[in-house]
Amino acid sequence: MTKDTFYVTTPIYYPNDKLHIGHTYTTTAADTVVKFKELQGYETELITGSDEHGQKLQKTAEEHGMEPLGYIDGIVKTFKELWSTLEVDYTEFVRTTSQEHKKDVQHIFKKIYDKGDIYKDKYEGYYCTPCETYWAERELDEEGNCPDCNRPVEWVEEESYFFKMSEYEEQLLEFLDDNPDFIQPAKRRNEMINFIEEGLEDLCVSRTSFDWGIPVPIDGDHVIYVWFDALISYLTGIGFRRDEDKFGSYWPADVHIVGKDILRFHTIIWPAILMAADMELPKQVFGHGFLTVEGGKMSKSKGNVVDPTKLVNDFGVDAVRYYLMREVAFGTDGSYSTESFIRRINSDLANDLGNLLNRTVAMVEQYFDGVIPEPRSETEYDADLKKTSQQELAAMADDMENLQFSTALEHLWTVIRRTNKYIDQTTPWILAKDEDKQDKLGTVLYNLLEALRITAIALKPFLPEAPAKIWQQIGIKADLDQQRWSEVEEWGLLEAGLEVNPGDPIFPRIDAEEYFAKQAEAEDDEKEETEEMVEEDKITFDDFTKLDLRVAEVLEAERIEGSDKLLKLQVALGEERRQLVAGIAKHYEADELIGKKVLMVANLEPATIFGTESNGMVLAASDDEGELTLTTVDQDIASGSQVE
Ligand code: ME8
């Protein structure tokens, strides 16, 4: 018998910086779908990872004076910490530098090459390094920049291998025609179809101007284009070529969840690669919208990057995940603001849900000594509560099928609000005063708890913490993790006779004014601290004497291959010879350095920079404009002389 499985992927992220709330959006959505499918009884896989090759990463690592892998390891650690903070339960984290992945990529490359769909030629055209994308001149924006990120592109001329993507044009159009739901949301489908109809060019799938990538299996001078490499992580993550059973039960993927900016890679390039490799295509690709901050793109230079870890620290993981899935319709762009965040959490989580739980449990405690009563005698409002609940939850499941998280939650909140209204309609505090109405009162409280039982289960895919707290306060003994969607669909499963456990409010109201005042205060404190640190940033004479500063004479200098910034120098310190790496290639030609006497720190710990050992550091002065000049001596003096 085949298992009911569901396989979801998130993009694998570039480890060149910390992840912001926009990245968190994709992964939270993917984790929510997977948890919902688990609730429905599916066996699931969720993969994420890091996209570790390419020119951009090589450059970034170099700018940090580090080897690519050493640099990437540090960032990957922060990715994993973030997913754990957000309680994202991925089943596999694929690193594209892993041996398995490299072999998978080479295998697919070779397979397509052997078939005759990869050939060698010369690439002449534009390349956007930040986006790792090739562009034709006609595709550039008005200023001649990258049409996606609007940053300058580079003119590239290099020998490359090409994938015959143009030959898959018809097959792709046919596939899209036969699978109208493949690209979601539907409005993006036409964009992709138009793109193909304009004519596909063959895709450059190897690079020679740098070496940080997976070697082309048939030609060691080339590394594989980073997107060809990255997409294959979706296969590596489920045991491609290593675990046939697993791979067989999860491939083709049920859905690749990606941002709209990388839809073309997933709905044109990826299907064409799979077609060429004679493999099945994924069932769906969903391109969600972008999160902006107050309407503008998040960027370091604007200083408006929203840090998801800070948000979780300030407001809790439930609040962050709820906001992300509720505030913006999945598929459209949305704007983040802390004001809207606080408003949403206060109204939905603190007021509607938190208060419902508090009031209900307190009434059971007050009127029935904390014991859940039997529902004995109906009130006129019960049927409507049940009906609303069942209808709305069915609609919620339909929305989840289409990844419409926001409206799915809206349906659940219709149940929660209907339940609050049920309290106002049945007025338990009045029933409580009448001896003859105790059965009715019991029914009302039972139904309130029942609505909360159902809510706790339905919320599990969205909120990692609150459902267990609700469960605990209602006093249900059964394991929440064992509950399935069928237990949401059925009304009346709550066991009477159990004891409730009143507890603290699960979502205390956030005082926006107080929050912003505290933030401002913290910012002021931080500023003061930095100012103090700057003042205290003086060193003692002893500290200074620890530095071994010397005059060094440059004997040899050469560029380090693959780097446009670094020079390898051989210097003399008197009799002693040293090798150093200096980041000055943009300011000095190697030849003009020979014979120069420069100042250097001679007792710096040795380091390997770009594969080259460096024993010391030359000193240079640089200004805000990026100009740089080496520090030399005013008059000739023997190399090796101490600088005091
Ligand atoms: O593209 N709002 O990686 P990446 C919403 N390595 N989503 C956003 C966003 C925002 N403000 N900013 C970024 C890559 N994203 C490739 C993927 S997959 C085989 C290779 C989303 O780190 C973006 O749309 O640049 C993308 O889906 C994801 O973050 C990763 O971006």
Side-chain angles (χ1 to χ4, degrees):
M1 206 183 81
T2 53
K3 285 181 285 178
D4 276 336
T5 60
F6 203 86
Y7 175 32
V8 183
T9 68
T10 78
I12 55 166
Y13 298 86
Y14 288 127
N16 47 10
D17 211 343
K18 273 173 74 177
L19 296 177
H20 59 59
I21 188 105
H23 304 110
T24 317
Y25 187 49
T26 320
T27 309
T28 304
D31 186 59
T32 306
V33 185
V34 160
K35 287 184 170 144
F36 196 81
K37 286 288 166 187
E38 273 166 20
L39 195 55
Q40 290 181 316
Y42 286 81
E43 289 195 29
T44 60
E45 283 283 317
L46 168 65
I47 72 154
T48 187
S50 47
D51 190 354
E52 306 186 1
H53 290 123
Q55 193 171 4
K56 179 170 55 172
L57 268 167
Q58 181 159 357
K59 274 193 178 163
T60 314
E62 197 181 298
E63 278 158 20
H64 285 79
M66 291 175 84
E67 285 292 310
L69 205 52
Y71 172 73
I72 293 164
D73 282 348
I75 307 245
V76 165
K77 196 164 154 265
T78 68
F79 283 10
K80 290 187 174 171
E81 279 164 5
L82 176 61
W83 303 143
S84 144
T85 303
L86 282 163
E87 305 213 24
V88 168
D89 296 322
Y90 54 81
T91 36
E92 201 67 49
F93 188 99
V94 182
R95 296 190 59 170
T96 56
T97 48
S98 70
Q99 286 311 317
E100 298 97 61
H101 177 74
K102 286 186 195 169
K103 284 186 192 146
D104 289 348
V105 173
Q106 290 183 325
H107 172 85
I108 300 268
F109 193 102
K110 179 86 174 21
K111 191 168 174 190
I112 302 178
Y113 176 80
D114 288 344
K115 196 178 171 182
D117 277 352
I118 287 181
Y119 61 94
K120 193 147 98 173
D121 202 342
K122 187 172 175 205
Y123 178 74
E124 283 189 13
Y126 292 97
Y127 194 76
C128 173
T129 308
C131 296
E132 301 282 14
T133 308
Y134 295 99
W135 295 110
E137 182 145 17
R138 63 183 157 80
E139 293 174 308
L140 301 179
D141 73 7
E142 282 156 19
E143 269 96 51
N145 291 332
C146 168
D148 268 357
C149 71
N150 310 111
R151 282 177 278 202
V153 286
E154 278 173 57
W155 176 255
V156 175
E157 276 182 38
E158 62 187 358
E159 185 189 79
S160 286
Y161 284 90
F162 284 77
F163 166 49
K164 289 185 187 165
M165 202 157 72
S166 57
E167 295 201 351
Y168 288 88
E169 225 171 85
E170 245 172 65
Q171 217 176 313
L172 280 170
L173 287 170
E174 226 172 83
F175 173 79
L176 293 179
D177 204 37
D178 294 344
N179 297 277
D181 294 333
F182 176 67
I183 302 177
Q184 291 294 327
K187 64 177 177 190
R188 304 249 175 249
R189 183 180 137 82
N190 287 342
E191 286 170 27
M192 294 301 129
I193 291 180
N194 289 343
F195 188 86
I196 302 172
E197 282 175 343
E198 275 173 23
L200 292 182
E201 280 171 26
D202 288 350
L203 177 73
C204 201
V205 286
S206 79
R207 307 279 321 257
T208 41
S209 49
F210 63 93
D211 59 6
W212 183 238
I214 302 175
V216 165
I218 37 133
D219 188 338
D221 291 340
H222 290 243
V223 290
I224 295 174
Y225 171 46
V226 64
W227 268 101
F228 188 99
D229 159 354
L231 288 159
I232 291 168
S233 62
Y234 298 148
L235 307 179
T236 308
I238 46 165
F240 179 51
R241 300 182 327 117
R242 277 172 301 284
D243 186 343
E244 268 179 38
D245 277 355
K246 183 170 173 184
F247 188 76
S249 49
Y250 286 103
W251 189 258
D254 290 277
V255 58
H256 293 314
I257 299 185
V258 301
K260 61 179 184 180
D261 57 326
I262 55 173
L263 207 56
R264 198 158 52 88
F265 294 97
H266 284 81
T267 59
I268 299 175
I269 297 180
W270 181 223
I273 293 174
L274 289 167
M275 282 172 178
D278 300 318
M279 291 184 68
E280 278 186 271
L281 268 50
K283 294 180 197 155
Q284 192 170 78
V285 179
F286 197 110
H288 65 70
F290 258 52
L291 276 193
T292 55
V293 174
E294 271 121 39
K297 213 172 169 179
M298 262 178 268
S299 83
K300 256 191 178 173
S301 55
K302 282 195 217 155
N304 65 351
V305 175
V306 181
D307 174 4
T309 307
K310 174 166 168 33
L311 272 194
V312 172
N313 287 341
D314 289 355
F315 301 110
V317 63
D318 282 349
V320 176
R321 288 184 59 136
Y322 180 77
Y323 176 83
L324 287 174
M325 292 297 94
R326 175 65 184 90
E327 193 68 9
V328 186
F330 206 57
T332 59
D333 292 340
S335 177
Y336 168 87
S337 76
T338 309
E339 286 81 358
S340 71
F341 183 97
I342 294 179
R343 229 180 293 128
R344 175 63 74 187
I345 301 313
N346 278 343
S347 88
D348 295 10
L349 297 183
N351 282 3
D352 295 339
L353 177 59
N355 280 349
L356 174 63
L357 177 68
N358 247 12
R359 289 165 86 189
T360 304
V361 173
M363 287 193 283
V364 178
E365 187 71 5
Q366 192 182 346
Y367 304 137
F368 290 92
D369 288 334
V371 179
I372 303 180
E374 291 274 359
R376 288 214 168 93
S377 136
E378 303 233 317
T379 78
E380 57 184 305
Y381 304 108
D382 305 345
D384 185 60
L385 177 64
K386 260 186 247 177
K387 199 176 95 198
T388 309
S389 161
Q390 282 170 339
Q391 275 173 356
E392 295 297 326
L393 288 156
M396 177 182 186
D398 283 347
D399 281 339
M400 287 304 287
E401 219 34 55
N402 300 318
L403 309 196
Q404 287 310 306
F405 307 97
S406 179
T407 47
L409 284 170
E410 222 173 290
H411 288 299
L412 183 56
W413 251 255
T414 305
V415 178
I416 295 170
R417 293 194 182 114
R418 175 69 193 87
T419 312
N420 275 317
K421 189 169 154 206
Y422 174 80
I423 303 186
D424 298 338
Q425 288 170 324
T426 53
T427 57
W429 51 93
I430 295 177
L431 298 177
K433 288 187 187 140
D434 190 338
E435 271 299 309
D436 299 337
K437 304 241 166 91
Q438 292 309 293
D439 281 356
K440 262 195 179 160
L441 176 63
T443 304
V444 168
L445 293 187
Y446 179 89
N447 283 340
L448 292 175
L449 290 167
E450 178 60 357
L452 283 162
R453 175 191 71 83
I454 286 172
T455 302
I457 305 174
L459 262 182
K460 261 194 74 193
F462 295 87
L463 311 186
E465 291 177 349
K469 293 182 191 163
I470 300 174
W471 210 246
Q472 152 78 10
Q473 292 206 19
I474 303 177
I476 304 177
K477 300 275 180 290
D479 185 356
L480 176 59
D481 289 337
Q482 297 302 318
Q483 306 297 305
R484 292 286 164 263
W485 188 251
S486 50
E487 273 118 350
V488 165
E489 288 171 323
E490 200 174 333
W491 184 275
L493 292 181
L494 177 70
E495 213 182 304
L498 296 172
E499 259 183 69
V500 297
N501 302 301
D504 292 335
I506 54 171
F507 292 108
R509 224 186 131 69
I510 305 160
D511 184 331
E513 235 172 77
E514 194 184 309
Y515 177 79
F516 287 118
K518 267 198 189 149
Q519 292 302 299
E521 215 176 282
E523 266 170 40
D524 286 348
D525 287 353
E526 206 177 306
K527 230 181 180 174
E528 262 174 42
E529 246 172 58
T530 335
E531 279 163 13
E532 273 169 27
M533 264 166 60
V534 171
E535 274 190 10
E536 282 171 12
D537 224 7
K538 299 207 168 71
I539 58 166
T540 62
F541 185 72
D542 277 355
D543 291 334
F544 172 72
T545 54
K546 284 185 194 143
L547 280 177
D548 183 12
L549 293 176
R550 307 270 208 97
V551 175
E553 180 174 355
V554 181
L555 303 176
E556 290 168 33
E558 61 179 296
R559 280 186 169 268
I560 294 185
E561 210 176 306
S563 163
D564 54 2
K565 222 179 142 202
L566 301 176
L567 290 181
K568 180 163 86 176
L569 310 180
Q570 308 294 339
V571 300
L573 295 173
E575 295 299 304
E576 192 187 340
R577 297 284 174 270
R578 289 277 190 103
Q579 174 174 296
L580 328 168
V581 174
I584 54 175
K586 287 198 170 145
H587 308 273
Y588 289 92
E589 290 301 327
D591 289 351
E592 63 180 307
L593 291 172
I594 315 282
K596 264 197 199 303
K597 287 197 171 151
V598 294
L599 304 186
M600 72 172 276
V601 184
N603 60 342
L604 202 65
E605 271 188 7
T608 304
I609 305 173
F610 229 76
T612 309
E613 204 179 308
S614 183
N615 290 299
M617 182 174 77
V618 292
L619 297 179
S622 62
D623 66 12
D624 291 344
E625 250 66 283
E627 285 306 317
L628 177 145
T629 176
L630 284 168
T631 53
T632 53
V633 282
D634 184 32
Q635 286 174 26
D636 197 23
I637 190 165
S639 77
S641 302
Q642 206 82 39
V643 178
E644 293 167 335

